[in-house]
Amino acid sequence: MAKVPAAAVAASGLVGGYAVARWTRKRPLGGVALAAAGTVAAYEWNRQAGPRAAVGLTTAYVAAFAGSHPLAKKIGAWPAVFAVAGSMAAASWAVTRRAA
């Protein structure tokens, strides 16, 4: 089975969570998608870089989600989601790259 990088899982969770919430008009369903991807990413971060990195990146993941809301008021919803997803992917890649 091909391995998907944790950076891609985290970014996809942020984008996918928003997309699910928006298109189904059920915010809790988007939250489930966000949490599921976050759980998979946290597992991979722990496996690749250890528990301290996993806690730090999980905190960043939650902060990215929360930060997308005020950012959306300034630049729009989709640009905000893509901005925080890209930032999260870059942070994940940087941390897990060093650990490898």
Side-chain angles (χ1 to χ4, degrees):
M1 185 165 143
K3 231 169 90 155
V4 177
V9 173
S12 297
L14 290 162
V15 173
Y18 176 68
V20 167
R22 181 172 176 129
W23 289 322
T24 65
R25 297 182 185 212
K26 294 185 180 0
R27 291 177 64 147
L29 195 55
V32 169
L34 178 81
T39 301
V40 171
Y43 174 81
E44 284 302 313
W45 292 326
N46 185 52
R47 194 180 66 71
Q48 293 173 9
R52 288 180 70 192
V55 168
L57 288 168
T58 300
T59 301
Y61 185 76
V62 172
F65 165 69
S68 69
H69 291 82
L71 185 59
K73 292 181 181 187
K74 295 181 189 249
I75 66 172
W78 279 112
V81 170
F82 287 128
V84 298
S87 297
M88 191 63 235
S92 175
W93 179 79
V95 170
T96 57
R97 177 180 65 94
R98 278 193 220 135

